[in-house]
């Protein structure tokens, strides 16, 4: 009796240990991509003045930044050998929620101060967010503008299918502001979760128009046409960026933010149609001090 | 069942309990974190009931579509022989393996306004499916029907074909034999398949949001509402999730007897 018991117990222990191992291995596999910062063997930095950065920088950025940030990421990697920039593009509000929910991210670039506030309210940023660009809205229509849309009022016409961003995401909030300014009420056929979703519906010809950012129209110039409207001036979006309190790779996070705000970074952004922030010189905190200690930035292993 | 826990070897019991915990702890978490005090206010909004009604209507319609098309398809796979049958079966089960979002993309490209079939539907009947409630049903049926087909085909294979042969010798046509003999014989399998399909349709998210878009009252089903609420109002998302959880439990409880009685 006793022998069987001990044996079965030993067997249980082995099984439990195995199960625990399997679990741990599974978890490690899932989270390994985010925690390579410290372990990755950084190749010797070629830039003499730069502190040696290494590992992965995970950047959560608004969908409308996809083109420019992908390019900035490549340039950043080239400037800092040994680093690799990973992006998660999506609706700013969804990204903000996942950061608050504990997603391992180093940098957050949002398409509106309101979505950034979700993160700052949860004490999720390491430093105060700084507005780095602004973006204006434009009506996107399929190539050739088959429904002859020339103003916001045309979107309310019957028989015109419109895709808007959901009001929860910045492009949707801005579109509502613009529509209100124009005194137009539009019933969309769908409320998309991010601006690229709305854009795709235009590109596929499934809708006749959508309200998106100028930069999106510019990026997709070959496939869609843009229609400017005066009310866009009343709904300009500020894009804030910040490195995050729980950044697994906080040094590289600060460097990436600094790079985006640098003249080189701004050149890429303005070439894509983004506008420099209104009071850039006055308000934004100096991003250059990447070596200075930041009180909140203590990477939690 | 007497003292089963004493005889269950610990090596099986431990992972089994872990498994149980793993499956049910998140649901307990949902209950724990539920904003009970705000709940009445959260659930008072029309949007919740609109989404729930839409979810139930669409899942039921999708199940009906699956039954009408899926049962004959299962019969074809189980009771006939034709070249390329294996390929056909693989094609039928493809949506089961395919990520639903991919299904949504495919549906949009085929049934969209500029799609291969959709263009013709639009010009011939003025019918466009994307962004409509019918589009939701199409997306859900696409994802759910394979579950029904697999289930019914299994039941057909298990059923003795000699009953049908006997019916045939008594002068029944193949269709009559199917209607009067085969169908009653595999009814439990059909019911099980329908329940599976309904449950799958109720939870459908990816194909729906891709193909049918998202608009409250028209295409925003419960899972879409939960997902979007999670973006700026987690409390509302939890409230919606609780409603969906309650519906699921009610369905399970209602089907308990039939569910355990099926093979």
């Amino acid at each position: 009796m006793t022998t069987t018991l001990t044996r079965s117990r030993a067997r249980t222990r082995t099984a439990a240990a195995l199960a625990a191992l399997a679990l741990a291995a599974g978890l490690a596999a899932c989270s390994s991509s985010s925690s390579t910062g410290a372990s990755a063997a950084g190749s010797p930095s070629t830039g003499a003045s730069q502190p040696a950065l290494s590992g992965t920088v995970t950047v959560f950025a608004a969908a409308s930044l996809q083109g420019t940030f992908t390019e900035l990421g490549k340039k950043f990697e080239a400037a800092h050998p040994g680093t690799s920039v990973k992006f998660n593009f999506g609706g700013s509000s969804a990204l903000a929620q996942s950061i608050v929910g504990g997603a391992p991210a180093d940098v957050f670039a949002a398409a509106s101060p309101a979505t950034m506030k979700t993160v700052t309210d949860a004490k999720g940023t390491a430093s105060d967010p700084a507005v780095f660009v602004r973006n204006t809205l434009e009506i996107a229509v399929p190539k050739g503008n088959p429904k002859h849309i020339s103003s916001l009022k045309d979107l309310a016409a019957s028989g015109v299918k419109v895709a808007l961003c959901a009001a929860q995401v910045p492009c949707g909030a801005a579109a509502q502001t613009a529509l209100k300014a124009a005194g137009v009420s539009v019933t969309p056929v769908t409320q998309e979760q991010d601006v690229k979703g709305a854009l795709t519906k235009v590109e596929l010809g499934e809708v006749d128009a959508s309200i998106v950012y100028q930069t999106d129209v510019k990026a997709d110039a070959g496939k869609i046409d843009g229609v400017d409207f005066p009310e866009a001036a009343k709904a300009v979006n500020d894009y804030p960026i910040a490195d995050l309190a729980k950044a697994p790779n906080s040094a590289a996070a600060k460097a990436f933010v600094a790079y985006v705000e640098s003249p080189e970074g701004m050149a890429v952004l303005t070439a894509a149609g983004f506008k420099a922030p209104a009071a850039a010189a006055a308000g934004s905190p100096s991003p250059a001090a990447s070596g200075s200690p930041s009180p909140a930035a203590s990477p939690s292993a | 069942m007497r003292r089963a826990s004493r005889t269950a070897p610990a090596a099986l019991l431990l992972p089994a309990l872990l498994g149980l915990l793993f499956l049910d702890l998140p649901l307990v978490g949902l209950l724990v974190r539920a904003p009970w005090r705000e709940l009445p206010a959260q659930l008072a909004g029309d949007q919740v009931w609109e989404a729930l009604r839409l979810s139930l209507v669409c899942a039921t319609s999708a199940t009906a579509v699956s039954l009408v098309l899926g049962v004959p398809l299962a019969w074809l796979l189980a009771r006939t022989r034709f070249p390329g049958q294996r390929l056909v079966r693989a094609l039928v089960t493809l949506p089961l393996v395919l990520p639903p979002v991919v299904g949504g993309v495919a549906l949009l490209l085929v049934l969209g306004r500029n799609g291969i079939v959709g263009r013709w539907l639009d010009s011939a009947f003025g019918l466009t499916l994307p962004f409509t409630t019918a589009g939701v049903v199409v997306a859900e049926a696409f994802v759910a029907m394979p579950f029904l087909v697999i289930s019914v085909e299994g039941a057909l294979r298990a059923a003795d074909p000699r009953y049908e042969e006997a019916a045939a010798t008594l002068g029944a046509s193949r269709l009559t034999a199917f209607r009067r003999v085969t169908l009653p014989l595999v009814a439990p399998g059909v019911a099980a398949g329908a329940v599976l399909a309904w449950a799958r349709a109720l939870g459908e998210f990816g194909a729906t949001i891709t193909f049918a878009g998202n608009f409250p009252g028209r295409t925003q089903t419960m899972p879409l509402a939960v997902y979007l609420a999670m973006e700026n109002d987690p409390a509302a998302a939890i409230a919606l999730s609780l409603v969906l959880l309650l519906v699921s439990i009610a369905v399970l409880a209602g089907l308990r007897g039939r569910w355990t009685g099926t093979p």
Side-chain angles (χ1 to χ4, degrees), chain A residues 8 11-12 15-16 19 23 91 93-94 97 118 142 147 159 161 166 168-169 187-193 201 204-208, chain B residues 10-11 14 18 108-109 112-115 128 130-131 205 209-210 212-216 218-220 227-234:
Chain A
S8 88
R11 222 179 284 151
T12 319
L23 246 172
S93 47
Q97 278 304 335
T118 310
K147 295 269 173 165
K161 286 189 175 181
Q168 291 97 325
V169 290
T187 307
V189 292
T190 178
Q191 300 174 345
E192 296 292 316
Q193 306 116 286
K201 299 289 191 288
L204 290 173
E206 290 302 330
V207 297
D208 304 308
Chain B
L14 202 72
L18 264 177
L108 198 58
L109 294 183
R113 203 162 57 162
N114 288 334
T128 50
F131 317 122
F205 175 82
I209 201 161
T210 318
N214 168 59
F215 193 82
R218 194 176 330 132
T219 63
Q220 190 182 75
Y227 180 77
L228 274 155
M230 197 61 203
E231 293 196 352
N232 65 342
D233 189 1

Side-chain angles (χ1 to χ4, degrees), chain B residues 9-74:
Chain B
L12 291 179
L13 192 61
L14 202 72
L17 290 178
L18 264 177
L20 186 68
L21 202 67
F22 172 64
L23 287 179
D24 288 331
L25 196 61
L27 301 181
V28 174
L30 201 62
L31 295 175
V32 171
R33 289 289 302 274
W36 294 108
R37 219 170 295 160
E38 302 168 36
L39 209 56
Q42 291 280 9
L43 297 181
D46 279 349
Q47 275 214 356
V48 178
W49 304 113
E50 229 172 42
L52 182 63
R53 186 192 58 82
L54 193 69
S55 274
L56 295 176
V57 167
C58 290
T60 309
S61 312
T63 309
V65 170
S66 300
L67 278 169
V68 169
L69 303 177
V71 172
L73 186 55

Side-chain angles (χ1 to χ4, degrees), chain A residues 140-285:
Chain A
V141 292
K143 201 95 192 115
N145 196 357
K147 295 269 173 165
H148 311 294
I149 284 152
S150 62
S151 71
L152 282 185
K153 209 168 284 167
D154 294 341
L155 300 185
S158 66
V160 175
K161 286 189 175 181
V162 181
L164 289 182
C165 297
Q168 291 97 325
V169 290
C171 55
Q176 289 307 326
T177 310
L179 287 168
K180 206 169 275 173
V184 176
S185 142
V186 171
T187 307
V189 292
T190 178
Q191 300 174 345
E192 296 292 316
Q193 306 116 286
D194 65 43
V195 69
K196 296 292 181 197
L199 205 63
T200 308
K201 299 289 191 288
V202 177
E203 216 178 287
L204 290 173
E206 290 302 330
V207 297
D208 304 308
S210 176
I211 300 179
V212 299
Y213 297 117
Q214 269 183 357
T215 51
D216 297 309
V217 177
K218 199 164 174 180
D220 267 2
K223 301 172 207 153
I224 56 171
D225 285 339
V227 178
D228 286 317
F229 56 95
E231 295 84 356
K234 298 200 171 104
V236 178
N237 267 35
D238 283 337
Y239 282 55
I241 189 169
D243 56 320
L244 299 172
K246 288 190 178 141
N249 194 354
S250 107
K254 286 183 192 309
F256 185 81
V257 173
Y259 184 75
V260 170
E261 291 170 333
S262 73
E264 212 182 333
M266 291 310 290
V268 170
L269 287 160
T270 47
F274 285 101
K275 297 185 174 54
S284 75

Side-chain angles (χ1 to χ4, degrees), chain B residues 165-177:
Chain B
E165 283 156 20
T169 57
L170 294 172
S173 73
R174 223 168 168 187
L175 185 62
T176 311

Side-chain angles (χ1 to χ4, degrees), chain B residues 4-256:
Chain B
S5 61
R6 279 237 177 129
T7 50
L12 291 179
L13 192 61
L14 202 72
L17 290 178
L18 264 177
L20 186 68
L21 202 67
F22 172 64
L23 287 179
D24 288 331
L25 196 61
L27 301 181
V28 174
L30 201 62
L31 295 175
V32 171
R33 289 289 302 274
W36 294 108
R37 219 170 295 160
E38 302 168 36
L39 209 56
Q42 291 280 9
L43 297 181
D46 279 349
Q47 275 214 356
V48 178
W49 304 113
E50 229 172 42
L52 182 63
R53 186 192 58 82
L54 193 69
S55 274
L56 295 176
V57 167
C58 290
T60 309
S61 312
T63 309
V65 170
S66 300
L67 278 169
V68 169
L69 303 177
V71 172
L73 186 55
W75 180 85
L76 202 71
L77 287 173
R79 283 287 187 271
T80 61
R81 290 282 158 272
F82 56 88
Q85 194 167 21
R86 280 185 170 198
L87 182 71
V88 171
R89 183 176 296 115
L91 289 175
V92 167
T93 45
L94 196 59
L96 208 130
V97 189
L98 208 66
V101 184
V102 178
V105 172
L107 284 172
L108 198 58
L109 294 183
V110 172
L111 294 175
R113 203 162 57 162
N114 288 334
I116 309 161
V117 179
R119 189 178 307 161
W120 170 77
L121 279 179
D122 192 15
S123 62
F125 305 102
L127 196 70
T128 50
L129 283 171
F131 317 122
T132 63
T133 307
V136 179
V137 175
V138 168
E140 290 185 353
F142 178 81
V143 173
M145 196 160 86
F147 287 87
L148 182 112
V149 175
I150 295 269
S151 174
V152 175
E153 196 204 338
L156 280 169
R157 286 187 180 283
D160 196 335
R162 282 177 298 181
Y163 290 109
E164 289 160 40
E165 283 156 20
T169 57
L170 294 172
S173 73
R174 223 168 168 187
L175 185 62
T176 311
F178 171 77
R179 224 159 30 86
R180 306 284 295 271
V181 179
T182 319
L183 217 46
L185 213 56
V186 297
V190 174
V195 171
L196 263 180
W198 190 83
R200 183 66 192 82
L202 190 71
E204 165 46 30
F205 175 82
T208 309
I209 201 161
T210 318
F211 179 59
N214 168 59
F215 193 82
R218 194 176 330 132
T219 63
Q220 190 182 75
T221 55
M222 284 296 272
L224 270 62
V226 171
Y227 180 77
L228 274 155
M230 197 61 203
E231 293 196 352
N232 65 342
D233 189 1
I238 297 171
L240 286 166
S241 303
L242 280 179
V243 173
L244 212 50
L245 184 66
L246 208 70
V247 171
S248 310
I249 291 173
V251 169
L252 267 183
L255 289 164
R256 195 186 35 188

Side-chain angles (χ1 to χ4, degrees), chain A residues 58-164:
Chain A
T58 309
V59 179
F60 281 29
S64 44
L65 292 167
Q66 186 153 7
T68 46
F69 265 44
T70 306
E71 190 182 340
L72 286 174
K74 285 200 185 105
K75 290 192 165 184
F76 181 82
E77 284 170 359
H80 301 277
T83 60
S84 113
V85 186
K86 294 260 185 299
F87 288 107
N88 180 10
F89 295 109
S92 296
S93 47
L95 295 175
Q97 278 304 335
S98 59
I99 289 168
V100 172
D106 294 300
V107 176
F108 180 38
S112 73
T115 43
M116 180 59 91
K117 193 168 176 294
T118 310
V119 179
T120 48
D121 281 354
K123 306 209 185 327
T125 55
S127 49
D128 284 339
V131 172
F132 66 106
V133 282
R134 317 177 82 200
N135 208 351
T136 326
L137 295 174
E138 196 169 8
I139 300 171
V141 292
K143 201 95 192 115
N145 196 357
K147 295 269 173 165
H148 311 294
I149 284 152
S150 62
S151 71
L152 282 185
K153 209 168 284 167
D154 294 341
L155 300 185
S158 66
V160 175
K161 286 189 175 181
V162 181
L164 289 182

